[in-house]
Amino acid sequence: LRPPPPTSTRVGIRRQRQMCIRDRSEPEQAPEPDITYPEVEPEPEVAPEPLPPLFESDTEVKQELEAIVGSEPLAGYLVKDQAISRMVSTIDSLTARQVPPPINPVRSVPGTFVVATVDDRMVMSEENFARYTGYVDLLNTADTESILGTYRHFYPLFQQAWEENGKQGSFNERLLEVIDELLMTPDVPGPVYLTKPEAVYLFEDEALEALSAGQKILIRMGGANASVVKDKLLDIRSRLDSENER
């Protein structure tokens, strides 16, 4: 009799048998064929149309604004020539003592300032509030994102007009400053008493008379109208803030 093979030999023979069994039970898989996929060319970027020169921009600005509020309402309120330059100058002047009428991009409020009498004292009549209703309704119904889209589109021209006025820095930063001041306009729930030392009426309350031109406009239009305007300004302010944080 032959002696049994060493243990290591028996293990090796067993593994060979197992491999042979696996080889017979699992057929060899053919390699996957190489597939060549066509390259997808990226779509060419469409360059934005160049902006017109500032002094020739009125036509395009008017078209953009008409798309937001309609041609008929726009014609009733907007001064057509030099719209962007007028907007920039007027916005900057809202924190001053007065807004010079020649630079205003919006037509003057119709009618005359109405004064009433309460206990032998002059007060601002509520009839004045209706003079501002059309302007407020136009602003309120205008889509905020559409307004900002037009502002973004023409912003290089806004900045150019700002610099041509001798100003430095960003016009957008100045716009935010003006909005912040307008939002701080106090609410005046009771009658607004007036005085007339000379040709024009003044607020009897020295604190009100010391307000900026833009804040006084909000008071003259009445609490309800001013609330609508403030809500719109707050919406615009918050969206501009979101863009600055990106």
Side-chain angles (χ1 to χ4, degrees), residues 29-103:
Q29 295 181 353
E32 294 185 3
D34 292 334
I35 302 176
T36 303
Y37 296 96
E39 294 185 2
V40 179
E41 296 183 0
E43 296 183 2
E45 295 184 3
V46 179
E49 295 185 4
L51 292 174
L54 176 60
F55 61 89
E56 295 178 1
S57 62
D58 283 334
T59 299
E60 289 192 23
V61 171
K62 179 184 175 184
Q63 290 173 348
E64 292 280 346
L65 294 177
E66 284 179 346
I68 299 174
V69 301
S71 57
E72 187 174 343
L74 186 67
Y77 293 99
L78 181 70
V79 175
K80 296 180 181 178
D81 66 305
Q82 303 177 38
I84 288 180
S85 295
R86 288 174 182 270
M87 290 179 193
V88 168
S89 297
T90 297
I91 289 170
D92 187 41
S93 297
L94 288 174
T95 59
R97 294 291 297 169
Q98 62 179 356
V99 178
I103 69 171

Side-chain angles (χ1 to χ4, degrees), residues 11-215:
V11 172
I13 294 172
R14 191 180 302 117
R15 288 179 178 174
Q16 289 180 356
R17 289 176 180 173
Q18 291 173 349
M19 291 176 64
C20 291
I21 294 172
R22 269 201 305 268
D23 291 344
R24 288 196 297 270
S25 61
E26 298 179 5
E28 185 177 351
Q29 295 181 353
E32 294 185 3
D34 292 334
I35 302 176
T36 303
Y37 296 96
E39 294 185 2
V40 179
E41 296 183 0
E43 296 183 2
E45 295 184 3
V46 179
E49 295 185 4
L51 292 174
L54 176 60
F55 61 89
E56 295 178 1
S57 62
D58 283 334
T59 299
E60 289 192 23
V61 171
K62 179 184 175 184
Q63 290 173 348
E64 292 280 346
L65 294 177
E66 284 179 346
I68 299 174
V69 301
S71 57
E72 187 174 343
L74 186 67
Y77 293 99
L78 181 70
V79 175
K80 296 180 181 178
D81 66 305
Q82 303 177 38
I84 288 180
S85 295
R86 288 174 182 270
M87 290 179 193
V88 168
S89 297
T90 297
I91 289 170
D92 187 41
S93 297
L94 288 174
T95 59
R97 294 291 297 169
Q98 62 179 356
V99 178
I103 69 171
N104 202 327
V106 179
R107 300 185 189 279
S108 300
V109 177
T112 56
F113 187 70
V114 183
V115 177
T117 302
V118 175
D119 298 330
D120 295 330
R121 297 173 66 187
M122 293 184 294
V123 299
M124 185 173 64
S125 173
E126 294 184 0
E127 295 180 23
N128 289 292
F129 306 159
R131 301 167 60 209
Y132 294 87
T133 301
Y135 298 84
V136 175
D137 289 345
L138 189 69
L139 176 64
N140 189 40
T141 56
D143 179 67
T144 304
E145 190 54 42
S146 296
I147 295 173
L148 291 178
T150 299
Y151 174 62
R152 295 186 205 103
H153 178 69
F154 289 106
Y155 182 75
L157 300 185
F158 280 91
Q159 182 65 29
Q160 179 184 342
W162 174 249
E163 294 173 0
E164 288 184 357
N165 284 348
K167 307 295 183 176
Q168 296 181 349
S170 165
F171 171 71
N172 192 65
E173 291 298 322
R174 176 57 178 155
L175 173 63
L176 295 177
E177 292 174 358
V178 173
I179 291 176
D180 287 342
E181 179 163 312
L182 294 177
L183 291 175
M184 291 189 297
T185 304
D187 297 326
V188 186
V192 179
Y193 293 100
L194 305 171
T195 182
K196 192 179 181 182
E198 297 179 356
V200 296
Y201 291 98
L202 304 176
F203 293 127
E204 186 177 276
D205 187 331
E206 293 182 358
L208 296 183
E209 186 56 35
L211 296 175
S212 65
Q215 292 175 317

